[in-house]
Amino acid sequence: MTNPDSRTLRVLKEKAHTLRVDCVRMVHQAKSGHIGGSLGLADIFAALFFKILQHDPSNPDWEGRDRFVLSNGHVAPILYASMAHTGYFPVEELMTLRKLNSRLQGHPSRTNLPGIEISTGSLGHGLGVAVGMALAARQKKASHRVYCSIGDGESQEGSIWEAALSAGHHQLDNLTVFMDRNFIQIDGNTEDILTMEPMADKWKAFRWHVIEANGNDFDDIFKAFDMAQNYKGKPSIILFRTKLGFPVSFMDGVSKWHGTPPKDEEAEKALQEIEAYYQGGNKA
Amino acid sequence: MTHYLDKDLFTQVQKKPTRDAFGLATSAMGETDDRIVVLTADVSGSVRANWFADKFPDRFYNMGISEQNMVAVAAGMAREGLLPYVSTFGVFITGRCYDQVRVLLAYSNTNVKLVATHTGVTVGEDGVTHQMLEDVALMQTLPRMRVIVPCDTREAVKALTAVKEMEGPFYIRLGRQSAPLVTSEEAPFEIGKSLMLQDGEDVTVIANGVLVYEALMAAQILAEENISVRVLNMHTVKPLDHEALMAAALETGAFVTAEEHQCLGGLGSAVSVWSTQNKPVPVEMVGMKDQFGQSGKADELLDYYHLRAVDIAQAVRKVLKRK
């Protein structure tokens, strides 16, 4: 994988913009759901789904695909938007989020939606599943990679550290984990509620290759994933510094936007700011 | 149906720990099915996972003392087409990992076989923290999860082999201590189909696990009182054998359940719920009565908590008065 050329970069910025707009619309219509993390992760997910992951949306079970596990399942809107826009299911279906009989459950459900590797939403589960997939890939001598998204608040769960120990022990260099390090959880700042710093040192101590990057900068995103993929002998974790609700100014650093749906005027204002960000140089 | 029983059962009882079945079955199946992987959490010898590890070191994973991660890893492996048999003590595999079992195995419908050893009071001296008496309750209420409680080592091997052929999550409950070999090698085993070990007309004792042996002994005691007892080995708690229960209700008109587990949420509850909805008959239960165990020898504990043949016989006399 190489860094994107200017044309690819332009396309990715447009995709990230589309994903953000859809996330706001989805959560707004559902009147429930997690908007802040979804917006903050839009650039990473655009890079991942449109460029980095080896996958075939028309054949979700393709054996050679890279596996992706969303351990922080509450940011399902950004996953669903990414899946719809890469062709896993019709884009119109996004507006059924959290509605009765929808395939787009409040948190990802494997048995409802093809392309979801495992049901998540209960925090701390996904990383262990990704470790199991990476061990299985090694045992089957398969060459695909396993990707896993985790949250910083989620990493207060002990099971994350059990999985971290395990991946470090087995030297799973076919595993790339990335953390949404936005410092926000439902009740406030992660460092006020349960101190996580020094985050990088913790993962290093667990025998991981640690990369720190800006999760809202495409150059940094690609550089980080590239470093992770090429590192041998240890699993890699990318600590992506992101902003909750990026680029919506009134969401940044405000924990209420972890899980509160925007009211009509708030959704309108968020969409305006997202549009202004896109037009203001980020169209590239 | 006497050929279903071990030939020495009523003369010289042989004993074997049901946990041996895990080592026996997995190392036999591993020969012909390379999808099988065995995971355990630092209790290889106790659960006999070392028998598999010795033969197939490349397919054995000792996950360390981290049971929640072990269950998550197994789910990931199952998604990749491997067939994980996961084993540790009953308290940890169900209680400690309940959320992982619920979401990653049952809700996600992954092909993982959970095998608990060290269940019930017969774990003995380690006491309450190691005596799992609520696992059947936890597991049978989970949608998609199926629950098997074999009565002896032979039946446990058959159960562990049978679940390989059925997709999706299973919970199989084994014990630590040596338990009587009740069934013969020839006895059939079918998931969801109970085994009638003795026919009778007056009452049906529905038992599983180590209480099957006690149920057969109870039937002997009661035969001397001219009470004719049918004994059903209900090894599969979920799905329950509705057909056998209906026949038993119609033909004997009274039930006694017997299990080494809390009555609430266990086999007794399952049978009672079936009965109230399908064919109401009086039911008495032998099992733990909303209580914890304590340290002691396995045999002492079975006596102390009234899980013996004499206790089943007493429950039969009581239920007959309610017929």
Side-chain angles (χ1 to χ4, degrees):
Chain A
M1 189 189 69
T2 51
N3 272 14
D5 56 31
S6 61
R7 190 189 161 277
T8 308
L9 199 58
R10 195 166 64 242
V11 170
L12 288 174
K13 286 183 175 180
E14 186 204 328
K15 295 296 183 193
H17 176 69
T18 305
L19 299 181
R20 285 194 168 98
V21 169
D22 275 350
C23 282
V24 172
R25 288 183 177 153
M26 288 162 76
V27 176
H28 178 240
Q29 68 79 29
K31 295 189 172 61
S32 84
H34 297 74
I35 186 69
S38 293
L39 292 177
L41 286 165
D43 298 317
I44 297 165
F45 273 65
L48 200 62
F49 274 76
F50 289 94
K51 194 78 179 132
I52 293 167
L53 283 182
Q54 302 288 312
H55 62 148
D56 179 1
S58 67
N59 181 14
D61 292 328
W62 169 47
E63 185 59 31
R65 74 192 182 279
D66 288 334
R67 274 56 167 174
F68 174 68
V69 175
L70 186 75
S71 193
N72 47 340
H74 54 280
V75 295
I78 190 62
L79 173 65
Y80 294 151
S82 304
M83 289 176 72
H85 285 283
T86 45
Y88 281 89
F89 58 85
V91 170
E92 306 82 70
E93 204 173 328
L94 288 175
M95 293 305 139
T96 68
L97 174 75
R98 291 182 169 238
K99 293 210 164 100
L100 193 64
N101 291 325
S102 170
R103 296 197 291 176
L104 310 188
Q105 290 290 296
H107 294 80
S109 165
R110 166 180 128 60
T111 49
N112 285 57
L113 187 64
I116 301 292
E117 301 283 1
I118 195 84
S119 304
T120 54
S122 187
L123 292 178
H125 286 186
L127 185 54
V129 175
V131 168
M133 290 175 156
L135 283 169
R138 177 179 285 180
Q139 180 154 311
K140 296 194 297 181
K141 300 186 169 56
S143 59
H144 62 260
R145 294 191 67 78
V146 180
Y147 291 86
C148 180
S149 165
I150 63 175
D152 53 0
E154 175 184 22
S155 299
Q156 291 165 359
E157 292 281 4
S159 50
I160 287 286
W161 299 101
E162 287 188 6
L165 266 178
S166 173
H169 172 82
H170 289 284
Q171 304 176 324
L172 293 176
D173 54 18
N174 57 350
L175 173 65
T176 298
V177 177
F178 63 90
M179 179 188 287
D180 183 16
R181 186 63 171 130
N182 62 16
F183 286 85
I184 299 294
Q185 55 192 102
I186 298 179
D187 273 358
N189 187 293
T190 55
E191 302 312 289
D192 295 335
I193 290 162
L194 185 60
T195 311
M196 304 297 292
E197 291 297 320
M199 186 73 95
D201 289 348
K202 287 188 172 68
W203 290 90
K204 281 176 195 159
F206 280 61
R207 297 169 182 258
W208 284 63
H209 171 227
V210 180
I211 302 160
E212 297 186 76
N214 179 349
N216 297 117
D217 178 294
F218 278 108
D219 280 339
D220 244 29
I221 292 168
F222 277 93
K223 212 177 294 171
F225 276 113
D226 198 42
M227 284 169 71
Q229 287 176 3
N230 290 311
Y231 194 89
K232 296 290 168 221
K234 285 181 182 178
S236 289
I237 181 160
I238 307 166
L239 303 177
F240 274 127
R241 184 67 179 92
T242 66
K243 288 180 174 179
L244 189 81
F246 187 80
V248 177
S249 61
F250 62 88
M251 291 185 182
D252 183 18
V254 182
S255 61
K256 129 176 179 184
W257 293 109
H258 169 89
T260 310
K263 296 191 178 74
D264 293 350
E265 62 277 19
E266 289 164 336
E268 193 52 46
K269 191 154 183 290
L271 287 169
Q272 280 168 13
E273 289 196 22
I274 287 167
E275 184 62 28
Y277 173 74
Y278 180 54
Q279 297 297 340
N282 279 291
K283 213 168 166 180
Chain B
M1 63 202 63
T2 46
H3 63 285
Y4 290 175
L5 296 173
D6 185 84
K7 61 181 171 33
D8 299 323
L9 184 64
F10 298 108
T11 50
Q12 178 110 41
V13 180
Q14 297 183 66
K15 286 188 165 189
K16 239 183 180 181
T18 50
R19 59 178 159 151
D20 283 6
F22 185 68
L24 292 168
T26 52
S27 48
M29 289 186 292
E31 298 277 6
T32 52
D33 193 337
D34 62 8
R35 295 175 306 155
I36 292 180
V37 288
V38 165
L39 288 80
T40 190
D42 197 43
V43 286
S44 304
S46 302
V47 305
R48 312 298 197 225
N50 54 341
W51 301 2
F52 180 89
D54 289 345
K55 283 176 81 176
F56 311 105
D58 298 344
R59 287 189 271 143
F60 170 70
Y61 294 90
N62 190 336
M63 300 307 297
I65 309 169
S66 52
E67 292 83 6
Q68 296 171 66
N69 186 51
M70 174 167 70
V71 170
V73 164
M77 288 176 161
R79 285 292 293 130
E80 295 303 315
L82 299 180
L83 179 39
Y85 276 71
V86 180
S87 184
T88 184
F89 298 2
V91 276
F92 310 127
I93 209 166
T94 62
R96 184 179 293 247
C97 306
Y98 181 74
D99 193 33
Q100 277 84 358
V101 173
R102 178 174 183 267
V103 176
L104 302 176
L105 306 195
Y107 181 43
S108 294
N109 197 24
T110 49
N111 196 22
V112 176
K113 317 304 179 188
L114 294 178
V115 186
T117 65
H118 295 62
T119 58
V121 285
T122 50
V123 170
E125 291 84 343
D126 280 337
V128 173
T129 54
H130 288 60
Q131 295 170 346
M132 189 31 142
L133 292 160
E134 302 86 35
D135 51 334
V136 173
L138 289 170
M139 293 296 106
Q140 74 165 329
T141 53
L142 284 176
R144 291 202 184 103
M145 185 61 79
R146 288 151 291 180
V147 179
I148 302 178
V149 186
C151 71
D152 64 17
T153 310
R154 281 186 189 132
E155 187 168 84
V157 169
K158 291 172 194 167
L160 287 158
T161 310
V163 297
K164 183 166 94 69
E165 307 307 324
M166 285 179 82
E167 274 288 309
F170 271 91
Y171 176 69
I172 301 155
R173 183 188 211 232
L174 308 178
R176 171 184 182 276
Q177 79 296 343
S178 279
L181 280 179
V182 171
T183 58
S184 63
E185 289 289 359
E186 296 73 34
F189 182 88
E190 195 183 326
I191 292 163
K193 196 106 188 104
S194 62
L195 205 58
M196 196 198 288
L197 296 178
Q198 174 176 314
D199 202 358
E201 294 163 8
D202 300 325
V203 61
T204 301
V205 176
I206 303 154
N208 65 18
V210 292
L211 271 286
V212 172
Y213 171 77
E214 301 294 335
L216 287 163
M217 296 304 122
Q220 301 254 302
I221 296 169
L222 293 161
E224 289 173 18
E225 300 167 25
N226 289 322
I227 298 171
S228 166
V229 179
R230 178 177 296 187
V231 178
L232 286 185
N233 170 11
M234 192 62 72
H235 49 66
T236 309
V237 178
K238 187 186 172 191
L240 265 184
D241 185 350
H242 294 179
E243 209 178 317
L245 288 176
M246 183 57 87
L250 291 171
E251 292 161 21
T252 71
F255 290 164
V256 168
T257 62
E259 62 194 311
E260 191 194 3
H261 184 274
Q262 304 290 354
C263 294
L264 188 59
L267 177 67
S269 285
V271 167
S272 301
V273 167
W274 177 87
S275 178
T276 54
Q277 293 185 316
N278 295 281
K279 182 70 193 163
V281 296
V283 181
E284 287 292 327
M285 298 182 199
V286 172
M288 294 297 276
K289 303 277 168 46
D290 197 22
Q291 62 199 141
F292 286 115
Q294 59 170 307
S295 291
K297 289 191 188 353
D299 280 341
E300 292 171 346
L301 291 162
L302 287 173
D303 292 339
Y304 187 85
Y305 292 105
H306 302 290
L307 302 171
R308 290 296 200 184
V310 289
D311 306 301
I312 296 171
Q314 194 52 37
V316 165
R317 293 180 198 110
K318 194 171 166 193
V319 86
L320 287 175
K321 288 186 194 144
R322 293 173 54 205
K323 246 175 109 168

